[in-house]
Coordinates of all heavy atoms in Angstrom, one line a residue:
M1 N 18.8 -22.9 4.7 CA 18.1 -23.2 3.5 C 16.6 -23.3 3.9 O 15.8 -22.7 3.1 CB 18.5 -24.6 3.0 CG 17.8 -25.1 1.8 SD 18.2 -24.2 0.4 CE 17.3 -25.1 -0.8
I2 N 16.2 -23.9 4.9 CA 14.8 -24.0 5.4 C 14.3 -22.6 5.7 O 13.1 -22.3 5.4 CB 14.6 -25.0 6.5 CG1 14.9 -26.3 6.1 CG2 13.2 -24.8 7.1 CD1 14.9 -27.5 7.2
F3 N 15.1 -21.8 6.3 CA 14.7 -20.4 6.7 C 14.4 -19.7 5.4 O 13.5 -18.9 5.4 CB 15.8 -19.7 7.5 CG 15.5 -18.4 7.9 CD1 14.6 -18.1 8.9 CD2 16.1 -17.3 7.3 CE1 14.3 -16.8 9.2 CE2 15.8 -16.0 7.5 CZ 14.8 -15.8 8.6
N4 N 15.3 -19.8 4.4 CA 15.1 -19.1 3.1 C 13.8 -19.5 2.5 O 13.1 -18.7 1.9 CB 16.2 -19.3 2.2 CG 17.4 -18.6 2.7 OD1 17.4 -17.6 3.5 ND2 18.6 -19.1 2.2
L5 N 13.5 -20.8 2.6 CA 12.2 -21.3 1.9 C 11.0 -20.7 2.8 O 10.0 -20.4 2.1 CB 12.3 -22.8 2.0 CG 11.0 -23.5 1.4 CD1 11.0 -23.2 -0.1 CD2 11.2 -25.0 1.6
L6 N 11.1 -20.7 4.0 CA 10.1 -20.1 4.8 C 9.8 -18.7 4.5 O 8.7 -18.3 4.3 CB 10.4 -20.3 6.3 CG 9.3 -19.7 7.3 CD1 8.0 -20.4 7.3 CD2 9.9 -19.8 8.7
I7 N 10.9 -17.9 4.5 CA 10.8 -16.5 4.1 C 10.2 -16.3 2.7 O 9.2 -15.5 2.4 CB 12.2 -15.8 4.1 CG1 12.7 -15.8 5.5 CG2 12.1 -14.4 3.6 CD1 11.9 -15.0 6.6
F8 N 10.5 -17.1 1.7 CA 10.0 -17.0 0.4 C 8.6 -17.4 0.4 O 7.7 -16.8 -0.2 CB 10.8 -18.0 -0.5 CG 10.3 -18.0 -1.9 CD1 10.5 -16.9 -2.8 CD2 9.6 -19.1 -2.4 CE1 10.0 -16.9 -4.1 CE2 9.1 -19.1 -3.7 CZ 9.4 -18.0 -4.6
S9 N 8.1 -18.5 1.2 CA 6.8 -18.8 1.2 C 5.9 -17.7 1.8 O 4.8 -17.5 1.3 CB 6.6 -20.1 2.1 OG 7.3 -21.1 1.5
L10 N 6.4 -17.1 2.9 CA 5.7 -16.0 3.4 C 5.5 -14.9 2.5 O 4.5 -14.3 2.4 CB 6.4 -15.6 4.8 CG 6.2 -16.5 6.0 CD1 7.0 -16.0 7.1 CD2 4.7 -16.6 6.4
F11 N 6.6 -14.6 1.8 CA 6.5 -13.5 0.8 C 5.5 -13.8 -0.3 O 4.7 -13.0 -0.5 CB 8.0 -13.3 0.1 CG 7.9 -12.4 -1.0 CD1 7.9 -11.1 -0.8 CD2 8.0 -12.8 -2.3 CE1 8.0 -10.2 -1.8 CE2 7.9 -12.0 -3.4 CZ 7.9 -10.6 -3.1
I12 N 5.4 -15.0 -0.8 CA 4.4 -15.3 -1.8 C 3.1 -15.2 -1.2 O 2.1 -14.8 -1.7 CB 4.7 -16.8 -2.3 CG1 6.0 -16.9 -3.1 CG2 3.6 -17.2 -3.2 CD1 6.1 -16.0 -4.3
F13 N 2.9 -15.8 0.1 CA 1.6 -15.7 0.7 C 1.1 -14.3 0.9 O 0.0 -14.0 0.5 CB 1.7 -16.4 2.0 CG 0.4 -16.3 2.9 CD1 -0.7 -17.2 2.6 CD2 0.3 -15.4 3.9 CE1 -1.9 -17.1 3.3 CE2 -0.8 -15.4 4.7 CZ -2.0 -16.2 4.4
F14 N 1.9 -13.4 1.4 CA 1.5 -12.1 1.6 C 1.3 -11.3 0.3 O 0.5 -10.4 0.2 CB 2.5 -11.3 2.6 CG 2.3 -11.7 4.0 CD1 3.3 -12.4 4.7 CD2 1.1 -11.6 4.6 CE1 3.2 -12.8 6.0 CE2 1.0 -11.9 5.9 CZ 2.0 -12.5 6.7
Q15 N 2.2 -11.6 -0.7 CA 1.9 -11.0 -1.9 C 0.6 -11.3 -2.5 O -0.1 -10.4 -3.1 CB 3.0 -11.4 -2.9 CG 3.1 -10.7 -4.1 CD 4.3 -11.1 -5.0 OE1 4.8 -12.2 -4.9 NE2 4.6 -10.3 -6.0
R16 N 0.2 -12.5 -2.4 CA -1.1 -12.9 -2.9 C -2.2 -12.2 -2.2 O -3.2 -11.8 -2.8 CB -1.5 -14.5 -2.6 CG -1.0 -15.3 -3.8 CD -1.4 -16.7 -3.7 NE -2.8 -16.9 -3.2 CZ -3.2 -17.8 -2.4 NH1 -2.3 -18.7 -2.0 NH2 -4.4 -18.0 -2.0
I17 N -2.2 -12.0 -0.9 CA -3.1 -11.3 -0.1 C -3.2 -9.8 -0.7 O -4.3 -9.3 -0.8 CB -2.8 -11.3 1.4 CG1 -3.0 -12.6 1.9 CG2 -3.7 -10.3 2.2 CD1 -2.6 -12.9 3.3
F18 N -2.1 -9.2 -0.8 CA -2.1 -7.7 -1.2 C -2.4 -7.4 -2.6 O -2.8 -6.3 -2.9 CB -0.8 -7.0 -0.7 CG -0.6 -7.0 0.8 CD1 0.4 -7.6 1.4 CD2 -1.6 -6.5 1.6 CE1 0.5 -7.6 2.8 CE2 -1.5 -6.4 3.0 CZ -0.4 -7.0 3.5
I19 N -2.2 -8.4 -3.5 CA -2.4 -8.2 -4.9 C -4.0 -8.2 -5.2 O -4.4 -7.4 -6.0 CB -1.7 -9.2 -5.7 CG1 -0.2 -8.8 -5.7 CG2 -2.1 -9.2 -7.2 CD1 0.6 -9.8 -6.5
D20 N -4.7 -9.1 -4.5 CA -6.1 -9.2 -4.8 C -6.8 -8.0 -4.4 O -6.6 -7.5 -3.3 CB -6.6 -10.5 -4.1 CG -7.7 -11.2 -4.9 OD1 -8.1 -10.6 -5.9 OD2 -8.2 -12.2 -4.4
R21 N -7.7 -7.5 -5.2 CA -8.5 -6.4 -4.9 C -9.9 -6.7 -4.4 O -10.5 -7.6 -4.8 CB -8.8 -5.5 -6.2 CG -7.5 -5.0 -6.8 CD -7.9 -4.3 -8.1 NE -6.6 -3.8 -8.6 CZ -6.6 -3.2 -9.8 NH1 -7.7 -3.0 -10.5 NH2 -5.4 -2.8 -10.3
V22 N -10.2 -6.0 -3.3 CA -11.5 -6.1 -2.6 C -12.5 -5.3 -3.4 O -12.3 -4.1 -3.7 CB -11.5 -5.6 -1.3 CG1 -12.8 -5.7 -0.6 CG2 -10.5 -6.4 -0.4
I23 N -13.6 -6.0 -3.9 CA -14.5 -5.2 -4.7 C -15.8 -5.1 -3.9 O -16.6 -4.1 -4.2 CB -14.8 -5.9 -6.1 CG1 -15.2 -7.3 -5.9 CG2 -13.7 -5.8 -7.0 CD1 -15.6 -8.0 -7.2
V24 N -16.1 -5.9 -2.9 CA -17.3 -5.7 -2.1 C -17.0 -6.2 -0.6 O -16.3 -7.2 -0.4 CB -18.5 -6.6 -2.7 CG1 -19.7 -6.5 -1.7 CG2 -18.9 -6.2 -4.0
S25 N -17.5 -5.4 0.2 CA -17.4 -5.8 1.7 C -18.7 -6.0 2.3 O -19.6 -5.2 2.2 CB -16.6 -4.6 2.5 OG -16.6 -4.9 3.8
I26 N -18.9 -7.2 2.9 CA -20.3 -7.6 3.5 C -20.0 -8.0 4.9 O -19.4 -9.0 5.2 CB -20.9 -8.7 2.7 CG1 -21.1 -8.3 1.2 CG2 -22.2 -9.0 3.3 CD1 -21.2 -9.5 0.3
D27 N -20.4 -7.1 5.9 CA -20.1 -7.4 7.3 C -18.6 -7.4 7.4 O -17.8 -6.6 7.1 CB -20.8 -8.5 7.9 CG -22.3 -8.3 7.9 OD1 -22.8 -7.1 8.0 OD2 -23.1 -9.3 7.8
T28 N -18.2 -8.6 7.9 CA -16.7 -8.8 8.1 C -16.1 -9.6 6.9 O -14.9 -9.9 6.9 CB -16.4 -9.6 9.3 OG1 -17.1 -10.8 9.4 CG2 -16.8 -8.7 10.5
D29 N -16.9 -10.0 5.9 CA -16.4 -10.8 4.8 C -16.2 -9.9 3.7 O -16.7 -8.7 3.6 CB -17.5 -11.8 4.3 CG -17.6 -13.0 5.3 OD1 -16.5 -13.3 5.9 OD2 -18.6 -13.5 5.5
I30 N -15.4 -10.4 2.7 CA -15.1 -9.6 1.5 C -15.3 -10.5 0.2 O -15.3 -11.8 0.3 CB -13.7 -9.0 1.4 CG1 -12.7 -10.1 1.5 CG2 -13.6 -7.9 2.5 CD1 -11.3 -9.7 1.3
I31 N -15.6 -9.8 -0.9 CA -15.5 -10.6 -2.2 C -14.4 -9.8 -3.0 O -14.4 -8.6 -3.1 CB -16.8 -10.4 -2.9 CG1 -17.9 -11.2 -2.1 CG2 -16.8 -10.9 -4.3 CD1 -19.3 -11.0 -2.7
T32 N -13.6 -10.7 -3.4 CA -12.4 -10.1 -4.2 C -12.6 -10.2 -5.7 O -13.5 -10.9 -6.2 CB -11.1 -10.9 -3.8 OG1 -11.2 -12.2 -4.2 CG2 -10.8 -10.7 -2.3
L33 N -11.7 -9.5 -6.4 CA -11.7 -9.6 -7.9 C -11.5 -11.0 -8.3 O -12.1 -11.5 -9.3 CB -10.8 -8.7 -8.4 CG -10.7 -8.6 -9.9 CD1 -12.1 -8.2 -10.5 CD2 -9.6 -7.5 -10.4
R34 N -10.6 -11.7 -7.6 CA -10.3 -13.2 -7.9 C -11.6 -14.0 -7.7 O -11.8 -14.9 -8.5 CB -9.2 -13.7 -7.0 CG -8.8 -15.0 -7.3 CD -7.5 -15.5 -6.6 NE -6.4 -14.6 -6.9 CZ -5.5 -14.4 -6.1 NH1 -5.3 -15.0 -5.0 NH2 -4.5 -13.6 -6.5
D35 N -12.4 -13.7 -6.6 CA -13.6 -14.5 -6.5 C -14.7 -14.3 -7.6 O -15.1 -15.3 -8.1 CB -14.3 -14.0 -5.2 CG -13.5 -14.3 -3.9 OD1 -12.8 -15.3 -3.9 OD2 -13.8 -13.6 -2.9
L36 N -14.7 -13.1 -8.1 CA -15.5 -12.9 -9.2 C -15.0 -13.5 -10.5 O -15.8 -14.1 -11.3 CB -15.7 -11.4 -9.5 CG -16.7 -10.9 -10.6 CD1 -18.1 -11.4 -10.3 CD2 -16.7 -9.4 -10.7
Q37 N -13.7 -13.5 -10.7 CA -13.1 -14.1 -11.9 C -13.3 -15.6 -11.8 O -13.7 -16.2 -12.8 CB -11.6 -13.8 -11.9 CG -11.3 -12.4 -12.3 CD -9.8 -12.0 -12.2 OE1 -9.0 -12.6 -11.4 NE2 -9.4 -11.0 -12.8
K38 N -13.2 -16.2 -10.7 CA -13.5 -17.7 -10.5 C -14.9 -17.9 -10.9 O -15.2 -19.0 -11.5 CB -13.1 -18.2 -9.1 CG -11.6 -18.3 -8.9 CD -11.5 -18.8 -7.4 CE -9.9 -18.8 -7.1 NZ -9.7 -19.2 -5.7
S39 N -15.8 -17.2 -10.3 CA -17.2 -17.4 -10.5 C -17.5 -17.3 -12.1 O -18.3 -18.1 -12.5 CB -18.0 -16.3 -9.8 OG -19.3 -16.1 -10.3
Y40 N -16.8 -16.4 -12.7 CA -17.0 -16.2 -14.1 C -16.5 -17.4 -14.9 O -17.2 -18.0 -15.8 CB -16.3 -15.0 -14.6 CG -16.4 -14.7 -16.1 CD1 -17.5 -14.1 -16.7 CD2 -15.3 -15.1 -16.9 CE1 -17.6 -13.9 -18.1 CE2 -15.4 -14.8 -18.3 CZ -16.5 -14.2 -18.9 OH -16.7 -14.0 -20.2
E41 N -15.3 -17.9 -14.5 CA -14.7 -19.1 -15.1 C -15.4 -20.4 -14.9 O -15.6 -21.2 -15.8 CB -13.2 -19.2 -14.7 CG -12.3 -18.1 -15.1 CD -11.0 -18.1 -14.4 OE1 -10.8 -19.1 -13.6 OE2 -10.2 -17.2 -14.7
L42 N -16.0 -20.5 -13.8 CA -16.6 -21.7 -13.4 C -18.1 -21.8 -13.8 O -18.8 -22.7 -13.7 CB -16.6 -22.0 -11.9 CG -15.2 -22.2 -11.4 CD1 -15.3 -22.3 -9.8 CD2 -14.7 -23.5 -12.0
R43 N -18.6 -20.6 -14.3 CA -20.0 -20.3 -14.7 C -20.9 -20.9 -13.5 O -21.7 -21.6 -13.8 CB -20.3 -21.2 -15.9 CG -19.4 -20.8 -17.2 CD -19.9 -19.5 -17.8 NE -19.2 -19.3 -19.0 CZ -18.7 -18.2 -19.4 NH1 -18.8 -17.1 -18.5 NH2 -18.2 -18.0 -20.5
L44 N -20.7 -20.2 -12.4 CA -21.6 -20.6 -11.3 C -23.1 -20.3 -11.5 O -23.9 -21.0 -10.9 CB -21.1 -19.8 -10.0 CG -19.8 -20.3 -9.4 CD1 -19.4 -19.5 -8.2 CD2 -19.7 -21.7 -9.2
I45 N -23.3 -19.3 -12.3 CA -24.7 -19.1 -12.7 C -24.7 -19.1 -14.3 O -23.7 -18.8 -14.9 CB -25.2 -17.7 -12.2 CG1 -24.4 -16.4 -12.8 CG2 -25.4 -17.7 -10.8 CD1 -25.0 -15.2 -12.5
S46 N -25.8 -19.5 -14.8 CA -25.8 -19.7 -16.3 C -26.0 -18.3 -17.0 O -26.6 -17.4 -16.5 CB -27.1 -20.5 -16.8 OG -28.2 -20.0 -16.2
R47 N -25.4 -18.2 -18.1 CA -25.4 -17.0 -18.9 C -26.4 -17.0 -20.0 O -26.6 -18.1 -20.7 CB -24.1 -16.8 -19.5 CG -23.9 -15.4 -20.3 CD -22.5 -15.2 -20.8 NE -22.4 -13.9 -21.4 CZ -21.3 -13.5 -21.9 NH1 -20.2 -14.2 -21.8 NH2 -21.2 -12.3 -22.5
N48 N -27.3 -16.0 -20.0 CA -28.3 -15.9 -21.0 C -27.7 -15.8 -22.4 O -26.6 -15.1 -22.6 CB -29.3 -14.8 -20.8 CG -30.0 -15.0 -19.5 OD1 -30.2 -16.1 -19.0 ND2 -30.2 -13.9 -18.8
S49 N -28.3 -16.3 -23.4 CA -27.7 -16.3 -24.8 C -27.5 -14.9 -25.3 O -26.6 -14.6 -26.0 CB -28.6 -17.0 -25.7 OG -29.9 -16.6 -25.8
N50 N -28.3 -13.9 -25.0 CA -28.3 -12.6 -25.5 C -27.6 -11.6 -24.5 O -27.7 -10.4 -24.7 CB -29.6 -12.1 -26.0 CG -30.7 -12.1 -24.9 OD1 -30.4 -12.6 -23.8 ND2 -31.8 -11.5 -25.2
E51 N -27.1 -12.2 -23.4 CA -26.6 -11.3 -22.3 C -25.2 -10.8 -22.6 O -24.4 -11.6 -22.9 CB -26.7 -12.1 -21.0 CG -26.4 -11.3 -19.8 CD -26.6 -12.1 -18.5 OE1 -26.3 -13.3 -18.6 OE2 -27.0 -11.6 -17.6
E52 N -25.0 -9.5 -22.4 CA -23.7 -9.0 -22.6 C -22.7 -9.4 -21.5 O -23.3 -9.7 -20.2 CB -23.7 -7.4 -22.6 CG -24.4 -6.9 -23.9 CD -24.3 -5.5 -24.0 OE1 -23.4 -4.8 -23.5 OE2 -25.2 -4.9 -24.6
E53 N -21.5 -9.4 -21.7 CA -20.6 -9.8 -20.6 C -20.7 -9.0 -19.4 O -20.6 -9.5 -18.2 CB -19.1 -9.8 -21.2 CG -18.0 -10.4 -20.3 CD -16.7 -10.5 -20.9 OE1 -16.5 -10.1 -22.1 OE2 -15.9 -11.1 -20.3
V54 N -20.8 -7.7 -19.5 CA -20.9 -6.8 -18.3 C -22.1 -7.1 -17.5 O -22.0 -7.2 -16.2 CB -20.9 -5.3 -18.8 CG1 -21.2 -4.4 -17.6 CG2 -19.6 -4.9 -19.5
E55 N -23.2 -7.4 -18.2 CA -24.4 -7.8 -17.4 C -24.2 -9.1 -16.7 O -24.7 -9.3 -15.6 CB -25.6 -7.8 -18.3 CG -26.1 -6.4 -18.9 CD -26.4 -5.5 -17.8 OE1 -27.1 -5.9 -16.8 OE2 -25.9 -4.3 -17.8
Y56 N -23.6 -10.0 -17.3 CA -23.4 -11.4 -16.8 C -22.5 -11.2 -15.5 O -22.6 -11.8 -14.5 CB -22.7 -12.3 -17.8 CG -22.4 -13.6 -17.2 CD1 -23.4 -14.5 -16.8 CD2 -21.0 -14.0 -16.9 CE1 -23.1 -15.7 -16.2 CE2 -20.7 -15.2 -16.4 CZ -21.8 -16.1 -16.0 OH -21.5 -17.3 -15.5
L57 N -21.4 -10.3 -15.6 CA -20.5 -10.1 -14.5 C -21.3 -9.5 -13.4 O -21.1 -9.8 -12.1 CB -19.3 -9.2 -14.9 CG -18.2 -10.0 -15.7 CD1 -17.3 -8.9 -16.3 CD2 -17.6 -11.0 -14.9
K58 N -22.2 -8.6 -13.6 CA -23.1 -7.9 -12.6 C -23.9 -9.0 -11.8 O -24.0 -9.0 -10.7 CB -23.9 -6.8 -13.2 CG -23.2 -5.5 -13.6 CD -24.2 -4.6 -14.1 CE -23.4 -3.3 -14.6 NZ -24.4 -2.4 -15.2
R59 N -24.5 -9.9 -12.7 CA -25.4 -10.9 -12.1 C -24.5 -11.9 -11.3 O -24.9 -12.3 -10.2 CB -26.1 -11.7 -13.2 CG -27.3 -10.9 -13.7 CD -28.3 -11.7 -14.5 NE -27.6 -12.8 -15.4 CZ -27.8 -14.1 -15.1 NH1 -28.5 -14.5 -14.1 NH2 -27.3 -15.0 -16.1
S60 N -23.2 -12.2 -11.7 CA -22.4 -13.0 -11.0 C -22.0 -12.4 -9.6 O -22.0 -13.0 -8.6 CB -21.1 -13.3 -11.8 OG -21.4 -14.0 -13.0
L61 N -21.7 -11.1 -9.7 CA -21.3 -10.4 -8.5 C -22.6 -10.4 -7.5 O -22.5 -10.7 -6.3 CB -20.9 -9.0 -8.8 CG -20.5 -8.3 -7.6 CD1 -19.4 -8.8 -6.8 CD2 -20.1 -6.8 -8.0
E62 N -23.8 -10.1 -8.1 CA -25.0 -10.3 -7.2 C -25.1 -11.7 -6.5 O -25.5 -11.7 -5.4 CB -26.2 -10.0 -8.0 CG -26.7 -8.6 -8.0 CD -28.0 -8.4 -8.8 OE1 -28.7 -9.3 -9.0 OE2 -28.1 -7.2 -9.3
F63 N -24.9 -12.7 -7.3 CA -25.0 -14.0 -6.8 C -23.9 -14.2 -5.7 O -24.3 -14.8 -4.7 CB -24.7 -15.0 -8.0 CG -24.6 -16.4 -7.5 CD1 -25.7 -17.1 -7.2 CD2 -23.3 -17.0 -7.3 CE1 -25.6 -18.5 -6.8 CE2 -23.2 -18.4 -7.0 CZ -24.4 -19.1 -6.7
L64 N -22.8 -13.8 -5.8 CA -21.8 -13.9 -4.8 C -22.1 -13.1 -3.5 O -22.0 -13.6 -2.4 CB -20.3 -13.4 -5.3 CG -19.8 -14.3 -6.3 CD1 -18.4 -13.7 -6.8 CD2 -19.4 -15.7 -5.8
I65 N -22.7 -11.9 -3.7 CA -23.1 -11.2 -2.6 C -24.2 -11.9 -1.8 O -24.2 -11.9 -0.6 CB -23.5 -9.7 -3.1 CG1 -22.3 -9.0 -3.5 CG2 -24.3 -9.0 -1.9 CD1 -22.7 -7.7 -4.3
N66 N -25.2 -12.3 -2.6 CA -26.3 -13.0 -1.9 C -25.8 -14.3 -1.2 O -26.3 -14.6 -0.1 CB -27.4 -13.5 -2.9 CG -28.1 -12.3 -3.5 OD1 -28.3 -11.3 -2.8 ND2 -28.6 -12.4 -4.7
Q67 N -24.9 -15.0 -1.8 CA -24.3 -16.1 -1.1 C -23.6 -15.7 0.3 O -23.8 -16.5 1.3 CB -23.3 -16.9 -2.0 CG -23.9 -17.5 -3.2 CD -25.0 -18.6 -2.7 OE1 -24.7 -19.5 -1.9 NE2 -26.1 -18.6 -3.3
K68 N -22.9 -14.7 0.2 CA -22.3 -14.2 1.5 C -23.3 -13.8 2.5 O -23.2 -14.1 3.7 CB -21.3 -13.0 1.2 CG -20.1 -13.4 0.4 CD -19.1 -14.0 1.3 CE -17.7 -14.2 0.7 NZ -16.7 -14.8 1.3
I69 N -24.3 -13.2 2.1 CA -25.4 -12.7 3.0 C -26.1 -13.9 3.6 O -26.3 -14.0 4.9 CB -26.4 -11.8 2.3 CG1 -25.7 -10.5 2.0 CG2 -27.6 -11.6 3.2 CD1 -26.5 -9.6 1.1
V70 N -26.4 -14.9 2.8 CA -27.1 -16.2 3.4 C -26.1 -16.9 4.3 O -26.5 -17.3 5.4 CB -27.4 -17.1 2.2 CG1 -27.8 -18.5 2.8 CG2 -28.6 -16.5 1.3
L71 N -24.8 -17.0 4.0 CA -23.9 -17.7 4.9 C -23.7 -16.9 6.2 O -23.6 -17.5 7.2 CB -22.5 -17.8 4.2 CG -22.4 -18.9 3.1 CD1 -21.1 -18.8 2.4 CD2 -22.7 -20.3 3.6
N72 N -23.7 -15.6 6.1 CA -23.6 -14.8 7.3 C -24.7 -14.9 8.2 O -24.7 -14.9 9.4 CB -23.3 -13.4 7.0 CG -21.9 -13.0 6.6 OD1 -21.0 -13.8 6.8 ND2 -21.7 -11.9 5.9
S73 N -26.0 -15.1 7.6 CA -27.2 -15.2 8.4 C -27.2 -16.5 9.2 O -27.9 -16.6 10.2 CB -28.4 -15.1 7.5 OG -28.5 -16.2 6.7
F74 N -26.4 -17.5 8.7 CA -26.4 -18.8 9.4 C -25.2 -19.0 10.4 O -25.1 -20.0 11.0 CB -26.4 -20.0 8.4 CG -27.7 -20.1 7.8 CD1 -27.9 -19.8 6.5 CD2 -28.8 -20.7 8.5 CE1 -29.1 -19.9 5.9 CE2 -30.0 -20.9 7.9 CZ -30.2 -20.5 6.6
K75 N -24.4 -18.0 10.5 CA -23.3 -18.0 11.5 C -23.8 -18.0 12.8 O -24.6 -17.3 13.2 CB -22.3 -16.9 11.1 CG -21.4 -17.1 10.0 CD -20.4 -16.0 10.0 CE -19.5 -16.2 8.7 NZ -18.5 -15.1 8.6
I76 N -23.2 -18.9 13.6 CA -23.5 -19.0 15.0 C -22.3 -18.8 15.9 O -21.3 -19.4 15.6 CB -24.2 -20.3 15.4 CG1 -25.4 -20.6 14.5 CG2 -24.5 -20.5 16.8 CD1 -26.0 -22.0 14.6
D77 N -22.5 -17.8 16.8 CA -21.3 -17.6 17.7 C -21.2 -18.7 18.7 O -22.2 -18.9 19.5 CB -21.4 -16.2 18.4 CG -21.2 -15.1 17.4 OD1 -20.6 -15.3 16.4 OD2 -21.9 -14.0 17.6
L78 N -20.2 -19.4 18.8 CA -20.0 -20.5 19.7 C -19.0 -20.1 20.8 O -17.9 -19.6 20.5 CB -19.6 -21.8 19.0 CG -20.5 -22.3 18.0 CD1 -19.9 -23.6 17.3 CD2 -21.9 -22.8 18.7
E79 N -19.4 -20.3 22.0 CA -18.4 -20.1 23.1 C -18.3 -21.5 23.8 O -19.2 -22.0 24.3 CB -19.0 -19.1 24.1 CG -18.0 -18.7 25.1 CD -18.5 -17.6 26.0 OE1 -19.3 -16.8 25.5 OE2 -18.2 -17.6 27.2
I80 N -17.0 -21.9 23.8 CA -16.8 -23.2 24.5 C -16.2 -22.9 25.8 O -15.3 -22.2 26.0 CB -15.8 -24.0 23.6 CG1 -16.4 -24.3 22.3 CG2 -15.4 -25.3 24.3 CD1 -15.5 -24.9 21.2
T81 N -16.7 -23.6 26.8 CA -16.3 -23.5 28.2 C -15.8 -24.7 28.7 O -15.9 -25.7 28.0 CB -17.4 -22.9 29.1 OG1 -18.5 -23.9 29.1 CG2 -18.0 -21.6 28.6
E82 N -15.2 -24.8 29.9 CA -14.7 -26.0 30.5 C -15.7 -27.0 30.7 O -15.5 -28.2 30.5 CB -14.1 -25.6 31.8 CG -12.6 -25.1 31.6 CD -12.0 -25.0 33.1 OE1 -12.1 -25.9 33.9 OE2 -11.3 -24.0 33.2
K83 N -17.0 -26.6 31.1 CA -18.1 -27.6 31.4 C -18.4 -28.3 30.1 O -19.0 -29.4 30.2 CB -19.3 -26.9 32.0 CG -19.9 -26.0 31.1 CD -21.1 -25.4 31.9 CE -22.0 -24.5 31.0 NZ -23.1 -23.9 31.7
D84 N -18.2 -27.8 28.9 CA -18.4 -28.5 27.7 C -17.6 -29.8 27.5 O -18.0 -30.6 26.8 CB -18.3 -27.6 26.4 CG -19.2 -26.5 26.5 OD1 -20.4 -26.7 26.9 OD2 -18.9 -25.4 26.0
F85 N -16.4 -29.8 28.1 CA -15.5 -30.9 28.1 C -15.7 -32.0 29.1 O -15.1 -33.0 29.1 CB -14.0 -30.4 28.1 CG -13.7 -29.6 26.9 CD1 -13.7 -28.2 27.0 CD2 -13.5 -30.3 25.7 CE1 -13.3 -27.5 25.8 CE2 -13.1 -29.5 24.6 CZ -13.1 -28.2 24.6
K86 N -16.6 -31.7 30.1 CA -16.7 -32.6 31.2 C -17.9 -33.6 30.9 O -18.8 -33.4 30.1 CB -17.1 -31.9 32.5 CG -15.9 -31.1 32.9 CD -16.1 -30.4 34.2 CE -14.9 -29.6 34.6 NZ -15.1 -28.9 35.8

């Protein structure tokens, strides 16, 4: 029973990964169609009153791209050694 549940959970997990479409790749990060949809639903950026939906989606995508670039610029490679624990 537990094994079947584990297999089912893995199936659902991998299905979610493969269903989502990558729309932009930035270095090693990606922005998926689901990310853009969430951004649209949550209204992460305000929509102008006379703005068409396509233009708003383009601006939303630009916003997500800029966020990824900023986050990537602050990533620091950390290497932990034994002397760090002493």
